[in-house]
Each structure stands twice: as C-alpha cells, then as structure tokens.
Amino acid sequence: MTQKAPPPDAGNAPDGMFNQSLARGISVLESFRGAGGPLTLAQIAARTGLTRSAAQRLVHTLRKLGYLTLTQDGHGFLLHLPVLDLTHDYLRLNPLLRRASPFLLELRQQVRERVDLSLFDGARMVYASRLQSKREAFFATLVGNTVPSTSTSGGWAALALLPDAEIDAILTATTLPALTPRTLTDPDAIRAEISKTRRDGHALAVEQVLMGEVAIGMAIPDAAGRPAGAIHVAGSLAEWAPEAFRRHVVPSLAEAVRNIGCA
Amino acid sequence: MTQKAPPPDAGNAPDGMFNQSLARGISVLESFRGAGGPLTLAQIAARTGLTRSAAQRLVHTLRKLGYLTLTQDGHGFLLHLPVLDLTHDYLRLNPLLRRASPFLLELRQQVRERVDLSLFDGARMVYASRLQSKREAFFATLVGNTVPSTSTSGGWAALALLPDAEIDAILTATTLPALTPRTLTDPDAIRAEISKTRRDGHALAVEQVLMGEVAIGMAIPDAAGRPAGAIHVAGSLAEWAPEAFRRHVVPSLAEAVRNIGCA
DNA sequence: GCATTTGTATTGCTGTCCGATACGGCTGCA
DNA sequence: TGCAGCCGTATCGGACAGCAATACAAATGC
C-alpha cells in the first residue's frame, strides 16, 4: 500500500523531507540546458529564479566541488568535468545497457550499420550509446542527445508498447517539430505508424530525423511490459532501399532483442 | 563562534559561502562511483559518511528531482536519466569539443580509423567523444570512461606539455596500473616516452591500454599552453605495423590539431 | 516466528542557509 | 577622463530549513 499517489509533482504538497538547498543547487546545474555558451552569475540567477546571493553561494559551492568552472576569460561559468564522472556511473550501472551491451556489439557485427541504443523517457528518446556514426552532424552524436519519441523508429517502437491513452497524452502534450521536410507531424499519421509497428513488431522510419537516413527500431520492454528503451539500426538511403534494409536488418535485430529479453 | 570545526571535511578553511546541503546531496550522487549495482540507503549513508536520516532526505529530494530512482525490484537506488541531460549540456557547451568537432570528423574520414577525443584531467584522461569503435569491450567505449594519463598516447602527449615537476608529481602520486602485459609502469620508461613525444610532436603507444591496439596521440593546448585534451587515433596491429600507422596517421592528425588551434 | 533488513514518516531543537547590501575591478560610452 | 553598468566577490544578523534521533510497516532470512 505504499504506492499511494506520488503527487504529480506540480502542485507539490509541503514536503518536510525535501531539501531545498540541494534542489536549488541542482537547478543551477540544469540552468545550462539550452544555454548557448557560458552563463554569468546574473544569468544563472535569472534562469533559476534564485536571488543573486543564492546563485552566488550555490555556484561557489559547485565550483569547489568541481562541477562548475569559471571560463578562462573570466566571463562566465560552465559545467565541468565531474559531470562526466556521473555520466559514466550512470551508463555503467544502467541495467538496460548492462543487459544489452554484448548483443549490441554482436548486432553491429552482423548488420555492419550504425546501431544505437536509446532510453525511453515519455515524449523523448535519450541516446545512451552509439556504436558508430558516419554521416551525422557531430552534436547529434553526443550522449544525452534527445529526439522526440514521435519522430524516430525507436520511439515508435517504444510507444507501440503503451496503451493508446498514454500515446494520445504524449501526442497532444508535445509539439511535434519537423526535423526534416518528411518528418511526420500529424498525430494520426504517427498513430498509423505505431499501428504498423504493432503489426510488424518493428518500426521503419524514412528520413524522419535526418535526410538520407533509413532506420529500423525495436523496443525493449521492462519487466512490466512498458518500454525501457529501443534499439535503432540506421542506414543510408544511398545504399539501401527501405525494404531491402528491412530484410537485411530485422532478423538480426529481432534476435538481439529476443536475447536481451526484459530489462 | 559558529564556524568552529564544520564537519570532518578534508582540512579546508572555514568557508561561510559553502552550501553544506548541496555538497552532501552531490556526494550522494557521487557515492555510486565504483559501485557494482544499486545502492541501498544504508550503503549510501555509509559511502558518504552521512547519517541515515540525512541520506534519506537527500535521496528523497534527488528522487523527486529525477536523478535517483528506486530499482524495479525495490531493492536499492540508481542514478537516473536526468544525469544524461547534464552530460549533454556539458558536452555541447565544452569549448574544446566545439572547436574540435568539425576537424574530428574530417580526420576520421581521412584516416578511416577510430578517432577519440579525451580531456586532460591531471592523472587521468576522460573520454568525451569516440567517433567509432570496432573491437573494444563495450564499457570501455562509454563516455566518461577514464584511463591513466600515463598509459595512453593522448596522455603522453598531454603530459609532454607540462613542466617536468608536474609530471613527476603525477607519476609519484599515482599508482600505475598495468592494463595490459605491455603497459609501461616504470616512471622512467614513461618519462622516456614523454621525451620522445616532445621530440616528435606526437606520441605512439603500442598495446598500452588494449592488446592488439596501436594508438597515436597529439595534445591540444589551451590558451596558456597547458594541455586541454588530446586526440587519439587507434588502429589494429593486425592491420598496421606501428611505423606504417604513424606515417598513415600523423600528417592528417597534425593538420587537425593545427586547425583546432588553442582551445 | 523472531531478528534484521529494507524504505518511509514525524518532531522539536539548532545551526546553516538566507538575502540585502557593499566592494573592487573591469568594459565601454561619452 | 570619468561615470555607468556590468562582472565576480565578500560580509553579517536573523530566521527558517535542515538536522539527527526515533518510530513504523513490510519484506527477507534464518
């Protein structure tokens, strides 16, 4: 009976166990989301809604801990290396990655195309591992990069495991950005793709994220049957017709997913 | 007065601007370093040196913020997805990566071997970007993975930019693990490699991190001439004799480093 | 079925964090 | 040359947020 209803967070009840200082400090780290470069103290204060004083003290603390650094020209702060230590611990300990890693390598050798593993997080898929990358813009290859669940083969495959009500919630809550001219933005078109995915057991996406790219995704369920993440295999339309790519990839991909089992 | 002996912190000066709660919360995140799996509350408390109560409150807070999660079987806590958001922001904003990324891609196309960028952090090199990986153990390919500066071509190249006194400090402070049977662990042998690197402008490492691997590294200096990071190019000894690999890689690598300039 | 875990919840005291305010060093505009 | 507006930094008394001890339900393992 412990599982009451962890309040939807938004209107948070007075929580006597919540550490405000820690939350504020974390919000300083998060204030770099979407920033275009170093942030000054005033900018951090503005982005977090904190007092200049509070921001100052938290920045000071994070600096002593190594997580923030003053840029070399002294004109602002940036996230610093210890962040990557957390990254490594997260990736290293992630149960899905641990289970999937040997099979990802095997899959990569079989299909000889790019193999990615991304983690399901509602409206977005978060890249956790990219075994190879050829053509892409560099920053798209970075760990932690996200793409809308509605715009990738892996996302479709993950969404296909959810009940329709949840899919609708995601489709309506999110604005659907057109990453390419061919990206599907019509909710019904996306629902249709999810239906196809349910029928076929895998998703096929053509030029949804990047022009010239075809990708096939399959979801990895967790023990409860909900999507934990997905594996994509991506190829070039210059080398593959979509159907040929499907025939090339699906058998190995399906076997990999089967081997991984439930995460 | 109030500022007597804070906690048994590492003998640091009393710092009225230091936010203890934030530091403790971060230490909870860091407590997963080296963990073999999920941690229980008691383990977190033990690893951080916090009271059970304190650990509880901080874990509670980090959970509400999404950074920690209770494992599905309810038997411990793990780092969670928002960590990767910080990762992405860090990588995206890192000045060295921003400068280097186009040239890394170009270099990769020219040499057609694995190209890595790692960041210099004293005794260790931290992987920030791996453009391709063929043979390695999966977890060695993860972002945030570290290798001793003394055991890699990139590390040698970075150390070569430092004054000898600092090199000695690193060599004596660190225990030098033998990652392979051929890893150099004798400080003088490493000093000799650094000398060669200074003479040649690049480092060549054979089977220092992984058997069967040859790697060439060049350092990227910051504005002050200190090492900011290094680029490695790694190939297989099955395909390349070390000297042939050197001739193949060094011209393109040197050009890339020249183009990147000072970070 | 007792002993020891696990995660969770409550409470009164106190010491830590709060935020207004002030300072010195820059940059750039006049 | 000087003022205005940033920058990051430092200080200080008061109050409120976080502290640690303690208790509880549920799961685990003898």
Side-chain angles (χ1 to χ4, degrees):
Chain A
M1 312 318 93
T2 57
Q3 295 298 29
K4 274 286 113 67
D9 267 23
N12 54 10
D15 182 344
M17 253 171 58
F18 192 77
N19 188 320
Q20 175 186 245
S21 300
L22 173 54
R24 288 177 167 183
I26 298 282
S27 80
V28 168
L29 295 178
E30 290 175 339
S31 69
F32 287 87
R33 189 120 341 137
L39 296 179
T40 69
L41 207 48
Q43 288 174 315
I44 291 174
R47 283 167 163 261
T48 54
L50 296 170
T51 313
R52 254 182 74 97
S53 297
Q56 176 196 3
R57 266 176 286 112
L58 296 168
V59 165
H60 171 85
T61 304
L62 289 169
R63 216 142 63 104
K64 284 224 163 176
L65 298 174
Y67 287 81
L68 289 183
T69 189
L70 193 54
T71 50
Q72 283 172 0
D73 54 7
H75 282 280
F77 299 97
L78 271 183
L79 294 170
H80 209 42
L81 254 177
V83 170
L84 288 194
D85 292 321
L86 291 183
T87 305
H88 190 239
D89 288 322
Y90 173 76
L91 294 173
R92 194 172 55 80
L93 293 170
N94 184 287
L96 181 53
L97 256 74
R98 290 175 86 97
R99 278 192 78 97
S101 60
F103 304 110
L104 289 179
L105 287 169
E106 194 181 320
L107 177 59
R108 165 73 181 71
Q109 291 187 338
Q110 287 170 356
V111 301
R112 305 215 156 269
E113 293 289 339
R114 200 187 82 216
V115 174
D116 302 333
L117 185 129
S118 51
L119 303 171
F120 177 71
D121 185 34
R124 53 182 209 157
M125 304 294 292
V126 184
Y127 284 121
S129 162
R130 314 203 81 178
L131 283 192
Q132 189 192 28
S133 66
K134 282 188 205 168
R135 294 168 279 275
E136 277 144 302
F138 182 74
F139 287 99
T141 69
L142 296 180
V143 167
N145 189 37
T146 65
V147 289
S149 300
T150 52
S151 303
T152 66
S153 59
W156 293 345
L159 292 174
L161 296 185
L162 295 178
D164 287 336
E166 281 193 62
I167 297 175
D168 290 341
I170 288 173
L171 283 174
T172 55
T174 333
T175 61
L176 307 175
L179 303 175
T180 76
R182 297 191 58 184
T183 301
L184 298 183
T185 56
D186 174 29
D188 283 328
I190 293 168
R191 271 185 270 260
E193 291 294 336
I194 293 172
S195 290
K196 276 195 228 169
T197 303
R198 283 179 176 152
R199 186 193 61 206
D200 300 338
H202 63 266
L204 187 147
V206 178
E207 296 186 323
Q208 290 297 298
V209 171
L210 197 69
M211 290 307 283
E213 185 180 271
V214 53
I216 292 180
M218 287 187 70
I220 306 171
D222 65 16
R226 293 182 56 85
I231 304 179
H232 315 234
V233 181
S236 166
L237 286 173
E239 299 170 31
W240 296 97
E243 282 305 322
F245 194 63
R246 190 202 297 263
R247 284 191 298 274
H248 175 64
V249 167
V250 166
S252 304
L253 177 55
E255 192 200 334
V257 170
R258 202 179 317 121
N259 284 328
I260 293 170
C262 294
Chain B
M1 313 308 293
T2 57
Q3 294 297 33
K4 271 294 107 84
D9 257 75
N12 54 8
D15 182 345
M17 254 170 58
F18 192 77
N19 188 320
Q20 174 189 245
S21 299
L22 173 54
R24 288 177 167 182
I26 298 281
S27 80
V28 168
L29 295 178
E30 289 175 339
S31 69
F32 288 87
R33 189 120 341 138
L39 296 179
T40 69
L41 208 48
Q43 287 174 315
I44 291 174
R47 281 167 164 263
T48 54
L50 296 170
T51 312
R52 253 182 74 100
S53 298
Q56 176 195 4
R57 267 175 289 110
L58 297 168
V59 165
H60 171 85
T61 305
L62 289 169
R63 214 139 68 102
K64 284 224 162 175
L65 298 174
Y67 287 82
L68 288 183
T69 189
L70 192 54
T71 50
Q72 284 173 356
D73 52 7
H75 281 279
F77 298 97
L78 270 185
L79 294 170
H80 208 43
L81 254 177
V83 170
L84 288 193
D85 292 321
L86 291 183
T87 305
H88 190 240
D89 287 322
Y90 173 75
L91 295 173
R92 193 173 54 80
L93 293 170
N94 184 286
L96 182 53
L97 256 73
R98 290 175 87 97
R99 280 191 76 98
S101 58
F103 304 110
L104 289 180
L105 287 169
E106 195 181 319
L107 177 59
R108 165 72 181 74
Q109 292 188 337
Q110 287 171 356
V111 302
R112 306 214 155 270
E113 295 288 339
R114 201 188 79 216
V115 173
D116 302 332
L117 185 128
S118 50
L119 303 170
F120 176 72
D121 184 36
R124 53 184 210 156
M125 305 294 292
V126 184
Y127 285 121
S129 161
R130 315 203 81 177
L131 284 193
Q132 189 193 28
S133 66
K134 283 188 207 167
R135 292 169 278 277
E136 277 144 301
F138 182 75
F139 286 100
T141 69
L142 296 179
V143 167
N145 190 35
T146 65
V147 288
S149 300
T150 52
S151 302
T152 66
S153 59
W156 292 346
L159 292 174
L161 296 184
L162 294 178
D164 287 336
E166 281 193 60
I167 296 175
D168 290 341
I170 288 173
L171 283 174
T172 54
T174 333
T175 61
L176 306 175
L179 303 175
T180 76
R182 296 191 58 185
T183 301
L184 298 183
T185 56
D186 174 28
D188 284 327
I190 292 168
R191 271 186 271 261
E193 290 296 335
I194 293 172
S195 290
K196 277 196 228 170
T197 304
R198 283 179 176 150
R199 185 192 62 206
D200 299 337
H202 62 265
L204 186 147
V206 178
E207 297 186 323
Q208 291 297 298
V209 171
L210 198 69
M211 290 307 283
E213 185 180 90
V214 54
I216 293 182
M218 287 187 70
I220 305 171
D222 65 16
R226 293 180 57 83
I231 305 179
H232 315 234
V233 181
S236 165
L237 286 174
E239 299 171 31
W240 296 97
E243 282 306 320
F245 193 64
R246 192 202 296 265
R247 284 192 299 273
H248 174 66
V249 167
V250 166
S252 302
L253 176 55
E255 193 201 335
V257 170
R258 203 180 316 120
N259 284 327
I260 293 169
C262 295

